[in-house]
Amino acid sequence: MNHKEAIQHKVFKIIGSTADELSLECYVIGGFVRDYFLGRSQVKDIDIVAIGSGIELARAVAKKLSGKPEVKVFKNFGTAMVKSEGLELEFVGARKESYRRDSRKPIVEDGSLKDDQERRDFTINALALSLNKETFGDLLDPFQGISDLNKGIIRTPLEPGITYSDDPLRMMRAIRFATQLNFTIELKSLRAITENKDRIQIISKERIVDELHKILMSEKPSKGFELMHKTDLLRYILPELKALQGIEEVEGQKHKDNFWHTLEVVDNIAATTNNLWLRWAALLHDIGKAPTKRFDKKIGWTFHAHEFVGSKMVYKLFKRLKMPLNEKMKFVQKMVLMSSRPIILSEAHVTDSAVRRLVFDAGEFVEDLMTLCEADITTKNPKKQRKYKNNFKLVRQKIIEVEERDRIRNFQPPVTGEEIMKTFDLKPSKEIGIIKEAIKEAILEGVIPNEHRAAHEFMLEKGKELGLKK
Ligand code: ATP
Ligand code: MG
């Protein structure tokens, strides 16, 4: 079959004619070809494979491209990268690979196109289109990748046991592609992943996290976590989530399965936000429930302070996975810590002061918190579902009203410590803190408005109570 229409961009003609001049066969391969057949928006990173030296081809191509872009050579990998017109062209010579057990770094030799296709992770990633003039646009698909694309199957060119053991990152890639594309991993492959799961430990955390991010950014992330659970990769990657799985029963009382609940929450939030870190927060919002689970004869199952415990666990988890320990992590911690607050609110009558406190504590992230909590509604009882949703609507409305009136979000005390010191002729002392706190409390409780005059009056009263003299 010929597929010229996939490679209309002029860069492909230039690469093909350059390869002809060098008497090299060359092909575009991998993600670009796959995504063309899937009708996914055109990718910017393009992999070119040459039968011979990819580096030499890259150098010759770069000379013909407008602006004569720089060629970045990665000697160790035998690859070269050229950036041109927003495209990233990666050149490599076709190769054959063999692996040792303790590493994902293969021993590499020159090979044929088929050797090169065989070493690729999945049949759908092994499709190649010829770029040489004579055969421009011809599809080379020795492993029935097109058929797998049409059927929606993730399958390896080689025996899956070998493919996954050679490079265990492919286990995460299989799950990630299955999630992104809503494909099924072939049964043989799924078994091989389960058998090789221990080998995920030789993969760097950064690579694993890249895949986790991609899974989380999919339309229905639950699929990926379900597959990690099924193959038990979860044990090594996110044991905190695995620990949430299961239902215990004591004296006829059960708690909900917090693993499956969490996956529902993640799918819910994926439908309303593309904020990666908010999606992480949804994934981790209940992790404190495993270590805090207790059964109490009077009240049944409890997860006392699970939000606090969970937010501490977020730090450890981020650290273990070598994720950034920066404001993103703090955001996730904050979301986990506050994840029950709006829910408690929505169960009861929504008072202004409760809303003011919520806004005060959540600050600029109050909308994100509301989004998380709305996603957390997974009850199958339509009556309760409606009640919670309505109450959340009310809370959101109140947030806007309260904010207009009281400006709590970036709260600045209307009376400063200096003013208190001056008024009562005080040196720095604990009374100042007491008065400031009392003013803040009075504002949040709605005793006084968030204004200087009212706060000043209140300060005078409070000072009198404390026996201070003006
Ligand atoms: P995306 O860019 O959406 O992540 P992709 O398939 O383009 O998907 P890349 O990581 O860009 O993924 O890799 C490009 C190609 O290189 C793949 O299509 C595949 O053929 C091959 N490849 C990448 N990683 C591996 C791997 N770990 N094992 C075997 N082949 C791989
Ligand atoms: Mg790619």
PDB file of all heavy atoms in Angstrom, residues 30-32 34-35 43 45-47 173 214, ligand 2:
ATOM      1  N   GLY A  30       7.595   4.662  13.435  1.00  0.00           N
ATOM      2  CA  GLY A  30       7.188   4.863  14.839  1.00  0.00           C
ATOM      3  C   GLY A  30       5.983   5.771  15.012  1.00  0.00           C
ATOM      4  O   GLY A  30       5.043   5.754  14.211  1.00  0.00           O
ATOM      5  N   GLY A  31       6.058   6.586  16.081  1.00  0.00           N
ATOM      6  CA  GLY A  31       4.916   7.391  16.519  1.00  0.00           C
ATOM      7  C   GLY A  31       4.260   8.233  15.423  1.00  0.00           C
ATOM      8  O   GLY A  31       3.032   8.316  15.355  1.00  0.00           O
ATOM      9  N   PHE A  32       5.083   8.839  14.565  1.00  0.00           N
ATOM     10  CA  PHE A  32       4.526   9.692  13.509  1.00  0.00           C
ATOM     11  C   PHE A  32       3.597   8.891  12.596  1.00  0.00           C
ATOM     12  O   PHE A  32       2.491   9.328  12.268  1.00  0.00           O
ATOM     13  CB  PHE A  32       5.657  10.323  12.680  1.00  0.00           C
ATOM     14  CG  PHE A  32       5.144  11.130  11.510  1.00  0.00           C
ATOM     15  CD1 PHE A  32       4.813  12.465  11.663  1.00  0.00           C
ATOM     16  CD2 PHE A  32       4.977  10.538  10.254  1.00  0.00           C
ATOM     17  CE1 PHE A  32       4.331  13.206  10.592  1.00  0.00           C
ATOM     18  CE2 PHE A  32       4.484  11.276   9.175  1.00  0.00           C
ATOM     19  CZ  PHE A  32       4.165  12.609   9.352  1.00  0.00           C
ATOM     20  N   ARG A  34       2.201   5.888  13.194  1.00  0.00           N
ATOM     21  CA  ARG A  34       1.052   5.412  13.975  1.00  0.00           C
ATOM     22  C   ARG A  34      -0.006   6.500  14.092  1.00  0.00           C
ATOM     23  O   ARG A  34      -1.186   6.277  13.814  1.00  0.00           O
ATOM     24  CB  ARG A  34       1.537   4.989  15.378  1.00  0.00           C
ATOM     25  CG  ARG A  34       0.434   4.512  16.303  1.00  0.00           C
ATOM     26  CD  ARG A  34       0.887   4.580  17.764  1.00  0.00           C
ATOM     27  NE  ARG A  34       1.114   5.960  18.172  1.00  0.00           N
ATOM     28  CZ  ARG A  34       2.127   6.372  18.920  1.00  0.00           C
ATOM     29  NH1 ARG A  34       3.052   5.526  19.338  1.00  0.00           N
ATOM     30  NH2 ARG A  34       2.255   7.643  19.240  1.00  0.00           N
ATOM     31  N   ASP A  35       0.424   7.688  14.496  1.00  0.00           N
ATOM     32  CA  ASP A  35      -0.549   8.748  14.730  1.00  0.00           C
ATOM     33  C   ASP A  35      -1.207   9.211  13.436  1.00  0.00           C
ATOM     34  O   ASP A  35      -2.360   9.649  13.449  1.00  0.00           O
ATOM     35  CB  ASP A  35       0.103   9.916  15.476  1.00  0.00           C
ATOM     36  CG  ASP A  35       0.338   9.570  16.950  1.00  0.00           C
ATOM     37  OD1 ASP A  35      -0.213   8.554  17.409  1.00  0.00           O
ATOM     38  OD2 ASP A  35       1.064  10.309  17.632  1.00  0.00           O
ATOM     39  N   VAL A  43       2.011  14.859  14.807  1.00  0.00           N
ATOM     40  CA  VAL A  43       3.055  14.961  15.827  1.00  0.00           C
ATOM     41  C   VAL A  43       4.229  15.773  15.300  1.00  0.00           C
ATOM     42  O   VAL A  43       4.467  15.859  14.103  1.00  0.00           O
ATOM     43  CB  VAL A  43       3.582  13.585  16.263  1.00  0.00           C
ATOM     44  CG1 VAL A  43       2.824  13.074  17.454  1.00  0.00           C
ATOM     45  CG2 VAL A  43       3.572  12.607  15.116  1.00  0.00           C
ATOM     46  N   ASP A  45       7.445  15.302  16.682  1.00  0.00           N
ATOM     47  CA  ASP A  45       8.711  14.564  16.688  1.00  0.00           C
ATOM     48  C   ASP A  45       8.628  13.408  15.707  1.00  0.00           C
ATOM     49  O   ASP A  45       7.698  12.606  15.711  1.00  0.00           O
ATOM     50  CB  ASP A  45       9.150  14.123  18.095  1.00  0.00           C
ATOM     51  CG  ASP A  45       8.135  13.238  18.781  1.00  0.00           C
ATOM     52  OD1 ASP A  45       6.937  13.483  18.560  1.00  0.00           O
ATOM     53  OD2 ASP A  45       8.544  12.313  19.512  1.00  0.00           O
ATOM     54  N   ILE A  46       9.613  13.392  14.829  1.00  0.00           N
ATOM     55  CA  ILE A  46       9.589  12.489  13.688  1.00  0.00           C
ATOM     56  C   ILE A  46      10.839  11.625  13.722  1.00  0.00           C
ATOM     57  O   ILE A  46      11.959  12.145  13.816  1.00  0.00           O
ATOM     58  CB  ILE A  46       9.531  13.316  12.384  1.00  0.00           C
ATOM     59  CG1 ILE A  46       8.195  14.083  12.354  1.00  0.00           C
ATOM     60  CG2 ILE A  46       9.683  12.427  11.157  1.00  0.00           C
ATOM     61  CD1 ILE A  46       8.053  15.024  11.203  1.00  0.00           C
ATOM     62  N   ASP A  47      10.640  10.301  13.692  1.00  0.00           N
ATOM     63  CA  ASP A  47      11.776   9.383  13.747  1.00  0.00           C
ATOM     64  C   ASP A  47      12.081   8.858  12.355  1.00  0.00           C
ATOM     65  O   ASP A  47      11.205   8.338  11.670  1.00  0.00           O
ATOM     66  CB  ASP A  47      11.447   8.224  14.687  1.00  0.00           C
ATOM     67  CG  ASP A  47      11.279   8.713  16.113  1.00  0.00           C
ATOM     68  OD1 ASP A  47      12.285   9.130  16.696  1.00  0.00           O
ATOM     69  OD2 ASP A  47      10.128   8.716  16.619  1.00  0.00           O
ATOM     70  N   ARG A 173       4.851   1.543  29.056  1.00  0.00           N
ATOM     71  CA  ARG A 173       4.426   2.096  27.766  1.00  0.00           C
ATOM     72  C   ARG A 173       3.194   1.356  27.236  1.00  0.00           C
ATOM     73  O   ARG A 173       2.279   1.976  26.692  1.00  0.00           O
ATOM     74  CB  ARG A 173       5.570   2.046  26.743  1.00  0.00           C
ATOM     75  CG  ARG A 173       6.608   3.151  26.977  1.00  0.00           C
ATOM     76  CD  ARG A 173       7.825   3.026  26.064  1.00  0.00           C
ATOM     77  NE  ARG A 173       7.548   3.087  24.634  1.00  0.00           N
ATOM     78  CZ  ARG A 173       7.548   4.210  23.893  1.00  0.00           C
ATOM     79  NH1 ARG A 173       7.781   5.381  24.463  1.00  0.00           N
ATOM     80  NH2 ARG A 173       7.311   4.167  22.602  1.00  0.00           N
ATOM     81  N   LYS A 214       1.417  10.769  31.565  1.00  0.00           N
ATOM     82  CA  LYS A 214       0.657  10.561  30.324  1.00  0.00           C
ATOM     83  C   LYS A 214      -0.621   9.780  30.596  1.00  0.00           C
ATOM     84  O   LYS A 214      -1.658  10.034  29.982  1.00  0.00           O
ATOM     85  CB  LYS A 214       1.521   9.859  29.286  1.00  0.00           C
ATOM     86  CG  LYS A 214       2.570  10.790  28.693  1.00  0.00           C
ATOM     87  CD  LYS A 214       3.459  10.140  27.662  1.00  0.00           C
ATOM     88  CE  LYS A 214       4.463  11.167  27.134  1.00  0.00           C
ATOM     89  NZ  LYS A 214       5.510  10.574  26.312  1.00  0.00           N
TER      90      LYS A 214
HETATM   91 MG    MG B   2       7.170  10.389  19.722  1.00  0.00          MG
END
